[in-house]
C-alpha cells in the first residue's frame, strides 16, 4: 500500500521522503513525519530543514492529549477536563489538556487532537468529533441546510435502529427533505431535476447499512452526485476508514466487500462524510464529520456543536485509535484484532478449553453493518440450552443457541478470558 499513507493522489519529492525517514526516532506516526518534512522542505534552505522539521514534530507531540498536574487550585477547571477522572490518558494523570494549549498557556480546542488525526487518516482537510453518528448527521444538516431542501434518494430513507430515521433526523435539523427517485431506482437525472429547481442546498447519500435492495435496482454513487453543483454529504455510518485497510497486513478481510471507505468517498468527491466511532472504526461511541474545511468550520460554529460534543475520555480513546490507524497498526485496535484472528487460531483455543466441544461457528459483524455477512469462526458447541446458566455466572458469559446447542464463539472473546470460559463450561456438567 505504498503511498496511501499520504494525502490520496499526492506525490512527494525524494527529499521529503528522506527527511521523513530520518525523523523516525521521534516516535510519531510516519504520515505526521511526512507532513512536517514537507512543510520544512518547502520552508527554505535545505540545510536547516531537519531542524525545522524536528521543531514542528516537537510541537505536534506536545499538542497531543496528555495527562497534566492541575496546580491551578481550580477544582473543576473546564480547560483541564473539569472533574478529575481515573487516568483517562493511561499515564496516571487525573487531568488532561482537553481544551488547553500547552504552548501558549491559553484556552485550546478539544477538536484539535483526535479530530485532526482522523482528518489526516482519511485524507480530509478537516474533521470534528461529536457524540455519535446520529449527532454528526443532524449537525451537518442543521449547519448547512436549515430552512433549505436536502435531496435524498427514496431508496436511502432508512431507519438504522434505535430511532435513527432519516426523515425524522431531517425534520429535527430544520432542513426540508426533498425525496428523489423511487424506492428501488434513483438516477442522476432525478437528482439533476430537483437541483435545477433551486430548492436544494445539499445532497445527502445515506449508506443503507442494515438492509439491502436486490433485483431491479439503480442508485447514484457519490462520484456522480459530486457533479450536481451542491455540496454532497455522505453518511457512511460504519466508519470504515479506508476500503483498502492498509492497517492490516493482509488487506481487507474477505467478508468486508463493497463497504464504502471514508478515504474513497472523499476521493470520489464527497464534500463531507459522517461516520460512527464505535462501528468499523473500532473506537469509543462518537461521530465524526470529515471533509472540506469550510463546511467542517460551519458545523463547529453551529450552536448545536456545543450540545453534541464528547468529553475527554472519548477524545483520549479516539486519539489512541487515530494514532493506531496512522501507524497502520490494526492489531492495536481490538475490533480489528478480533475481526482478523484466524479460524485455525480460534480452533486451537477451543481445543485447549475442551477438545470434545470444539467446533466451527459463524460470527457476524453486527452493529447494524454489513447485513447477512458471515465470518467463519470457531468456538465451543455445547449440546443443550445453557445460555441462562452462562449469563448468571461471574462474569456473565453471553452465548446463543443454534439448533439445540449452546454456541460460545471465541472470535469475540479476548484470549485472556479463555480460562474463565473453560471454568464456566466445566461447571455446566
Ligand atoms: C449506524 C448509523 C448511524 C447512526 O450512528 P450512531 O453512531 O449509532 O449514532 C447513522 N447513519 C448510518 C448510515 C449508520 O449506519
Amino acid at each position: 500500500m505504498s503511498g496511501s499513507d499520504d494525502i490520496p493522489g499526492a506525490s512527494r519529492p525524494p527529499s521529503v521522503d528522506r527527511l521523513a525517514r530520518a525523523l523516525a526516532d521521534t516516535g510519531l506516526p510516519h504520515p505526521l513525519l511526512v507532513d512536517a518534512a514537507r512543510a520544512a522542505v518547502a520552508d527554505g534552505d535545505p540545510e536547516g530543514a531537519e531542524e525545522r522539521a524536528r521543531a514542528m514534530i516537537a510541537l505536534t507531540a506536545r499538542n497531543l492529549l496528555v495527562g497534566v498536574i492541575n496546580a491551578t487550585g481550580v477544582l473543576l477547571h473546564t480547560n483541564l477536563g473539569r472533574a478529575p477522572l481515573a487516568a483517562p490518558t493511561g499515564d496516571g494523570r487525573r487531568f488532561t489538556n482537553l481544551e488547553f494549549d500547552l504552548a501558549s498557556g491559553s484556552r485550546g480546542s478539544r477538536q484539535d487532537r483526535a479530530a485532526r488525526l482522523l482528518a489526516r487518516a482519511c485524507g480530509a482537510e478537516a474533521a470534528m468529533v461529536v457524540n455519535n453518528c446520529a449527532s454528526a448527521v443532524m449537525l451537518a444538516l442543521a449547519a448547512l441546510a436549515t430552512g433549505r431542501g436536502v435531496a435524498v434518494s427514496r431508496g436511502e430513507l432508512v431507519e438504522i435502529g434505535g430511532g435513527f430515521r432519516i426523515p425524522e433526523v431531517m425534520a429535527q435539523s430544520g432542513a426540508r427533505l426533498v425525496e428523489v427517485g423511487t424506492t428501488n431506482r434513483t438516477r442522476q437525472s432525478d437528482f439533476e431535476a430537483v437541483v435545477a429547481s433551486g430548492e436544494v442546498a445539499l445532497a445527502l447519500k445515506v449508506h443503507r447499512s442494515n438492509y439491502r435492495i436486490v433485483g431491479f435496482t439503480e442508485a447514484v454513487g457519490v462520484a456522480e452526485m459530486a457533479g450536481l453543483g451542491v455540496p454532497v454529504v455522505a453518511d457512511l455510518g460504519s466508519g470504515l476508514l479506508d476500503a483498502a485497510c492498509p492497517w492490516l497486513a493482509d488487506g481487507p478481510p474477505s467478508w468486508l466487500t463493497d463497504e464504502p471507505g471514508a478515504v474513497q468517498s472523499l476521493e470520489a468527491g464527497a464534500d463531507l462524510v459522517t461516520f460512527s466511532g464505535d462501528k468499523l472504526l473500532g473506537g469509543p461511541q462518537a461521530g465524526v464529520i470529515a471533509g472540506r474545511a469550510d463546511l467542517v468550520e460551519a458545523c463547529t460554529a453551529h450552536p448545536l456543536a456545543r450540545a453534541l460534543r464528547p468529553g475527554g475520555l472519548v477524545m483520549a480513546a479516539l486519539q489512541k485509535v487515530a494514532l493506531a490507524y496512522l501507524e497502520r497498526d490494526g492489531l492495536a485496535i481490538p475490533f480489528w484484532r478480533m475481526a482478523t484472528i484466524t479460524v485455525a487460531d480460534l480452533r486451537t483455543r477451543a481445543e485447549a478449553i475442551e477438545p470434545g466441544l470444539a467446533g466451527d461457528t459463524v460470527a457476524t459483524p453486527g452493529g447494524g453493518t454489513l447485513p447477512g455477512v458471515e465470518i467463519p469462526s470457531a468456538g465451543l458447541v455445547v449440546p443443550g440450552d445453557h445460555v441462562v446458566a452462562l449469563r448468571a455466572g461471574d462474569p456473565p458469559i453471553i452465548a446463543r443457541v443454534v439448533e439445540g446447542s449452546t454456541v460460545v464463539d471465541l472470535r469475540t472473546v479476548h484470549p485472556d478470558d479463555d480460562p474463565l470460559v473453560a471454568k464456566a463450561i466445566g461447571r455446566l456438567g
Side-chain angles (χ1 to χ4, degrees):
M1 296 313 308
S2 73
S4 62
D5 62 340
D6 205 348
I7 290 167
S11 66
R12 51 181 185 255
S15 54
V16 169
D17 257 326
R18 213 170 322 115
L19 180 51
R21 274 197 303 275
L23 298 166
D25 63 287
T26 59
L28 280 193
H30 187 66
L32 301 183
L33 304 182
V34 171
D35 288 353
R38 183 182 284 117
V41 165
D43 218 28
D45 83 283
E47 286 289 279
E50 176 161 352
E51 198 182 318
R52 287 195 299 275
R54 283 188 184 276
M56 285 180 226
I57 287 163
L59 272 181
T60 304
R62 187 103 179 112
N63 196 34
L64 291 177
L65 196 68
V66 294
V68 301
I69 294 170
N70 175 10
T72 64
V74 181
L75 274 69
L76 296 173
H77 199 307
T78 301
N79 293 10
L80 302 181
R82 285 202 192 132
L85 277 167
T89 48
D91 56 11
R93 301 279 105 78
R94 259 63 179 171
F95 296 90
T96 67
N97 54 341
L98 182 65
E99 284 196 355
F100 186 65
D101 181 352
L102 287 169
S104 68
S106 55
R107 182 166 189 157
S109 163
R110 73 178 63 207
Q111 298 293 348
D112 255 3
R113 288 75 173 220
R116 200 182 289 279
L117 296 170
L118 284 168
R120 185 64 180 83
C122 61
E125 286 175 10
M128 77 177 292
V129 179
V130 289
N131 185 53
N132 52 23
C133 187
S135 312
V137 175
M138 166 104 103
L139 178 56
L141 294 174
L144 307 176
T146 293
R148 315 264 324 263
V150 175
V152 191
S153 164
R154 287 195 169 91
E156 296 175 4
L157 295 174
V158 299
E159 171 171 328
I160 301 299
F164 181 87
R165 310 174 101 189
I166 290 293
E168 290 170 10
V169 171
M170 191 79 72
Q172 285 300 318
S173 75
R176 192 166 43 78
L177 174 61
V178 178
E179 300 185 17
V180 179
T182 64
T183 302
N184 56 328
R185 307 197 82 184
T186 300
R187 301 185 188 86
Q188 178 75 348
S189 54
D190 298 327
F191 272 106
E192 283 164 357
V194 298
V195 170
S197 74
E199 57 178 329
V200 307
L202 204 71
L204 177 67
K205 170 96 187 153
V206 184
H207 185 27
R208 289 195 191 107
S209 299
N210 54 7
Y211 88 108
R212 291 193 194 291
I213 297 184
V214 295
F216 186 58
T217 67
E218 189 170 345
V220 184
V222 167
E224 294 169 87
M225 289 172 73
L228 288 170
V230 292
V232 175
V233 175
D235 176 23
L236 305 175
S238 68
L240 178 62
L241 208 60
D242 184 334
C245 299
W247 55 87
L248 299 179
D250 299 324
S254 57
W255 45 266
L256 194 67
T257 48
D258 302 329
E259 189 60 21
V263 167
Q264 287 72 25
S265 300
L266 290 164
E267 273 178 344
D271 296 282
L272 285 183
V273 293
T274 53
F275 53 89
S276 291
D278 53 356
K279 291 181 180 171
L280 298 181
L281 193 72
Q285 181 193 300
V288 180
I289 303 174
R292 257 171 59 188
D294 58 330
L295 302 184
V296 171
E297 175 53 33
C299 294
T300 316
H302 192 277
L304 262 179
R306 170 62 184 256
L308 302 176
R309 71 183 193 180
L313 281 174
V314 166
M315 291 303 203
L318 206 54
Q319 171 178 287
K320 203 166 156 192
V321 170
L323 287 169
Y325 277 112
L326 287 166
E327 300 273 19
R328 298 184 167 195
D329 184 6
L331 297 183
I333 301 169
F335 169 76
W336 287 110
R337 208 167 44 221
M338 170 168 99
T340 54
I341 186 166
T342 66
V343 176
D345 283 351
L346 294 172
R347 217 173 273 139
T348 304
R349 283 170 51 196
E351 269 154 23
I353 290 171
E354 179 52 68
L357 299 174
D360 289 339
T361 61
V362 178
T364 54
T369 66
L370 302 157
V373 167
E374 300 186 334
I375 306 173
S377 189
L380 300 135
V381 183
V382 189
D385 180 345
H386 305 286
V387 293
V388 175
L390 288 172
R391 228 168 38 226
D394 179 20
I397 294 174
I398 319 299
R400 65 202 159 93
V401 175
V402 180
E403 291 169 4
S405 289
T406 303
V407 172
V408 176
D409 196 314
L410 288 180
R411 184 172 289 285
T412 45
V413 175
H414 193 281
D416 290 353
D417 290 335
D418 283 2
L420 294 169
V421 170
K423 216 186 270 172
I425 285 179
R427 271 199 298 264
L428 292 179

